[in-house]
Amino acid sequence: MSKFYITTPLYYVNDEPHIGHAYTTILADVIARIHKIQGEDVFFLTGTDEHGQKVQDAAVKRNVTPQKHVDEYVKRFRNTWDKLHINYDYFIRTTDKNHTDKVKEILTSLYEKGDIYFDEYEGLYSVSEERFITEKEKEEGNFREIKKIKEKNYFFKMSKYQNQLIDYIKTNDDFILPQSRRNEILGFLKNDLNDLCISRPKSRLSWGIELPFDKEYVTYVWFDALINYISAIGYNSDSNKFNHYWPADYHLMAKDILTAHCVYWPTMLMACKIELPKTIFAHGWWLFDNIKMSKSLGNVVKPLDLADEYGADALRYFLMRNMVLGQDASFTLDAFTDRYNADLANDYGNLVNRIFILINKNFNNCIPEKGDYDSIDLGLIADIKKLQSIVIKNYNTLKIHDAVEENMRIFRKVNKYLENKAPWKMIKENKSQAATTIYIAAETLRIGTILLYPIIPDKSQQVLNSINSTPKDSTSFGELVENSKIEIIKNIFPRILD
Ligand code: MSP
C-alpha cells in the first residue's frame, strides 16, 4: 500500500482561527480524503505553534501565563477543525514534550557538529516577524516594527548549504510549487544567504524552548516549529513511523511562509542529513476587500459563524470551488451566497429532491429496476464516464476548483437528462422506461456524490447512506442495487433567501 504524508502549517495560537487558516486545513483534508478513498496509507498532520513573541504577547494581554493561554486557545483550533469535519490523523502542539525533546536533541547535535555557533550581531530586527531582516527587505517595505539590535546570539550555518539547496531546487521540478514560487525562491537565493539566528535571549523573550547548551536563551520560534514535521512522526525514535512516512509528500501553506519552508527548513534537514520533503505547495491568499485577511488588520471572517449558519460542507465547498490553487481569491458574503444557491441548492440539491420524490411517489421508496438503454441513456452514461475521469485527473493534479466544477457538470447533465425524458409524464404510459430513466439518474447521482465526498464529506455520506452506498464504493456505472429500499432525505441544501 503506498503511503501519503500531508501537513498544514502549525497555526499560532495568539487568536482564533479565521477563514485563511480554515482554507489550508480544509484543502489538506480534501487532499487527504482523495488519497484515503484511493486506498492509500495516509498520514495527515496539523497542529499549533505555541511558542514565541506573538503568543507571549497574547498571554500578557490576557493577563494569564503563556501555558494557560495556549492550553485554552488550542481548544479553539481543535473545535473548529472538528466542526469543519477535518479528519486529521495527528494534532501536534509545539509545547508537547515529545516535540520539545526532539528540538533539543537536534539543537545539541548541530551544536556539537559545529553547525551552530555563538556570535555578536548587529542588525535590523522586525518585532512583528520576529526575525532579523536585511536592508533590502526593509526597503521592500513588508516588515513592521523595525528596530536596530546589537545582541549575542546563536546562529545556524544556513549559508553553508546554499549551493546544495540551489542544486536541489534546480534538479527537482516539483520541490516548490507552483512554478512561480520556485522562481521566486531561486531569485532570492541569487543573493548570499545569511546564517540564521536561532536563539532569543530570555531577557527579551522567555516563552520558548530553552537551548540545551545555554540556559540564558530560548529557541527561535521557527527553528522550533518547523521540526514538528519530523517530530510528529517519531524522528530518531523506536517507532517505525518516521521511516514509513518521511519524506512528506506535501507541505501545504500560503505564500506568506514560503521562505521559512523553502530555505530554512531544507537547509536544517540537510544539516541533519535527512531527505527533503517531496513538495512544498504554496497557495494564494483569501482577500477581503482586496486586502489579505489577517488578525492585525481586523478584517477576518470567522469560519465557524458561516459553518454554524449554513453547514460546514457549504463553507468547504465554497472555499474549494472559488479559489484557483496558487492564485489569490476574494471573499465576500455575496460570492458565498451566489455559489451556494447556484451549485449546492440548485444543481445538486434540486437533483437529490427530484430523484427522491420520483422514487417515493412511484416506486414505494425502492430503487427501480432498469430495462434496456436507449441512445439518450447511452449518451449520458458515456458523458458521465468522461467527466468522471476528468474529475479524478483534476483531483490528482491538485486542480481542485476544476474538479469541483466538472463534478457539478455531472449533476447538471442529469438534470437536463431528466427534463428531456420527463419520467414524471412517462410513468403512466411506460412505467418500465420511466424506471430505467430514474435508475440511471439515481446511479449517476451516486457516482457524482462519491466523487464529491472529499469536498462535502458530511452531506455526501448522508445522501450515500440513504441509497445504501458508501464513499468507498466503486464508481463504475450499474452498481446501484435495484429494488433496494432507500431513505428519503428532504432539502439537503435549502436555498439561502436574500
Ligand atoms: N506559525 C507559523 C507557521 C509555522 S509552520 C511550521 C504561521 N502561523 S499562522 O497562524 O500565521 O498561519 C499562517 C498560515 O495560515 C498561512 O501560511 C496559510 O496557510 C494560512 N493563512 C493565514 N491567512 C491566510 C489568508 N488570508 N489566506 C489564505 N491562507 C491564509 O505562519
Side-chain angles (χ1 to χ4, degrees):
M1 197 196 290
S2 63
K3 69 90 191 171
F4 185 79
Y5 179 26
I6 185 163
T7 68
T8 71
L10 297 195
Y11 307 109
Y12 290 123
V13 281
N14 54 344
D15 204 356
E16 296 191 33
H18 63 64
I19 287 282
H21 306 127
Y23 175 74
T24 315
T25 315
I26 292 170
L27 178 64
D29 183 68
V30 166
I31 299 172
R33 284 176 194 267
I34 293 167
H35 287 264
K36 275 179 191 164
I37 50 174
Q38 291 178 11
E40 287 174 44
D41 174 5
V42 175
F43 194 77
F44 165 21
L45 175 71
T46 189
T48 40
D49 192 348
E50 304 195 348
H51 293 124
Q53 195 73 48
K54 288 187 186 31
V55 175
Q56 179 170 295
D57 290 351
V60 167
K61 213 165 143 194
R62 294 181 59 229
N63 209 9
V64 294
T65 62
Q67 189 62 56
K68 189 165 168 20
H69 172 81
V70 295
D71 288 346
E72 282 172 17
Y73 271 52
V74 67
K75 292 186 194 137
R76 299 180 182 211
F77 283 82
R78 283 184 184 275
N79 290 342
T80 303
W81 301 157
D82 286 349
K83 287 200 175 171
L84 296 180
H85 314 311
I86 305 297
N87 192 12
Y88 54 77
D89 294 290
Y90 191 64
F91 189 102
I92 186 168
R93 302 177 58 185
T94 54
T95 50
D96 289 343
K97 189 169 180 308
N98 278 348
H99 173 76
T100 56
D101 283 353
K102 206 48 70 185
V103 172
K104 287 183 184 169
E105 193 184 302
I106 289 175
L107 283 165
T108 305
S109 98
L110 294 183
Y111 185 60
E112 283 170 358
K113 178 179 165 189
D115 268 359
I116 289 177
Y117 62 92
F118 194 51
D119 197 11
E120 183 164 62
Y121 182 77
E122 183 170 13
L124 300 169
Y125 189 81
S126 159
V127 179
S128 62
E129 291 302 309
E130 293 184 56
R131 70 169 174 94
F132 284 100
I133 59 169
T134 59
E135 279 292 346
K136 189 158 175 273
E137 283 176 318
K138 184 186 170 194
E139 280 157 26
E140 283 163 3
N142 296 324
F143 294 89
R144 287 173 293 121
E145 298 171 71
I146 301 168
K147 285 184 189 167
K148 203 164 203 165
I149 289 189
K150 187 174 178 183
E151 213 169 62
K152 282 195 167 158
N153 266 307
Y154 288 86
F155 290 83
F156 163 56
K157 281 190 185 163
M158 194 156 74
S159 57
K160 178 174 154 191
Y161 299 96
Q162 177 162 8
N163 289 336
Q164 199 181 330
L165 177 60
I166 295 172
D167 286 349
Y168 190 87
I169 298 174
K170 285 189 173 162
T171 48
N172 289 275
D173 284 351
D174 291 341
F175 179 52
I176 304 171
L177 289 176
Q179 287 293 323
S180 54
R181 302 286 161 222
R182 175 176 183 261
N183 297 339
E184 201 177 301
I185 292 294
L186 282 173
F188 174 80
L189 288 169
K190 282 200 173 120
N191 301 315
D192 284 346
L193 264 188
N194 287 335
D195 287 340
L196 183 67
C197 175
I198 54 112
S199 64
R200 297 293 180 264
K202 281 191 181 166
S203 53
R204 199 147 65 72
L205 171 73
S206 58
W207 182 237
I209 302 174
E210 191 178 279
L211 290 187
F213 39 82
D214 193 333
K215 284 187 169 16
E216 298 304 313
Y217 288 85
V218 295
T219 312
Y220 172 42
V221 66
W222 272 102
F223 195 90
D224 153 3
L226 286 162
I227 289 174
N228 93 88
Y229 299 130
I230 55 175
S231 70
I233 51 168
Y235 166 64
N236 218 8
S237 73
D238 294 341
S239 138
N240 236 342
K241 243 178 171 175
F242 179 76
N243 289 338
H244 182 60
Y245 287 113
W246 192 258
D249 293 82
Y250 280 105
H251 286 323
L252 284 187
M253 70 211 61
K255 56 190 177 183
D256 49 341
I257 52 177
L258 198 67
T259 317
H261 281 84
C262 299
V263 181
Y264 305 175
W265 180 226
T267 51
M268 286 163 66
L269 289 167
M270 282 169 175
C272 297
K273 299 210 176 326
I274 300 173
E275 219 180 313
L276 302 197
K278 289 188 192 156
T279 296
I280 295 168
F281 194 106
H283 59 74
W285 283 331
W286 280 97
L287 307 174
F288 204 76
D289 288 337
N290 281 328
I291 309 172
K292 183 185 173 225
M293 213 179 277
S294 85
K295 196 204 85 174
S296 52
L297 296 171
N299 63 347
V300 297
V301 176
K302 292 188 192 164
L304 280 193
D305 293 354
L306 279 174
D308 284 343
E309 205 161 338
Y310 306 108
D313 283 353
L315 177 64
R316 292 173 63 108
Y317 183 87
F318 171 76
L319 292 176
M320 292 303 110
R321 174 61 186 81
N322 273 40
M323 181 176 265
V324 177
L325 253 190
Q327 296 174 19
D328 290 345
S330 192
F331 190 98
T332 66
L333 274 184
D334 280 349
F336 174 81
T337 313
D338 290 351
R339 179 62 72 193
Y340 176 101
N341 279 341
D343 290 12
L344 294 176
N346 252 7
D347 293 337
Y348 186 65
N350 278 348
L351 180 66
V352 175
N353 282 347
R354 248 177 175 180
I355 293 174
F356 281 3
I357 289 170
L358 282 166
I359 295 178
N360 172 257
K361 275 199 175 156
N362 306 297
F363 295 93
N364 196 23
N365 290 346
C366 289
I367 299 291
E369 276 181 36
K370 57 181 186 283
D372 292 338
Y373 298 149
D374 65 18
S375 60
I376 302 177
D377 301 334
L378 291 170
L380 177 81
I381 295 170
D383 283 352
I384 300 304
K385 236 190 190 157
K386 267 188 225 143
L387 284 172
Q388 210 178 316
S389 61
I390 299 175
V391 172
I392 292 170
K393 195 168 155 219
N394 281 324
Y395 270 145
N396 287 335
T397 50
L398 288 197
K399 290 195 182 123
I400 306 290
H401 71 288
D402 282 335
V404 176
E405 180 53 21
E406 298 298 325
N407 208 146
M408 275 298 140
R409 279 183 63 201
I410 293 182
F411 301 129
R412 283 186 213 121
K413 280 217 182 269
V414 190
N415 272 323
K416 267 223 176 92
Y417 165 83
L418 284 173
E419 269 153 38
N420 242 342
K421 288 242 163 177
W424 43 89
K425 284 189 199 151
M426 205 199 289
I427 202 103
K428 291 195 190 92
E429 305 109 54
N430 190 342
K431 190 160 180 177
S432 91
Q433 216 181 70
T436 303
T437 301
I438 297 167
Y439 178 90
I440 290 173
E443 173 59 337
T444 317
L445 173 71
R446 184 188 72 87
I447 293 169
T449 303
I450 291 179
L451 291 175
L452 205 54
Y453 161 80
I455 313 282
I456 55 163
D458 189 42
K459 297 284 187 185
S460 158
Q461 291 258 20
Q462 276 179 40
V463 172
L464 292 172
N465 271 345
S466 72
I467 54 173
N468 308 304
S469 181
T470 75
K472 287 203 164 154
D473 285 353
S474 149
T475 50
S476 320
F477 196 92
E479 300 280 321
L480 185 63
V481 182
E482 293 157 304
N483 296 316
S484 58
K485 194 115 190 134
I486 67 165
E487 248 176 70
I488 304 293
I489 321 176
K490 285 195 181 126
N491 231 353
I492 185 108
F493 285 112
R495 209 180 158 73
I496 302 175
L497 303 171
D498 296 332

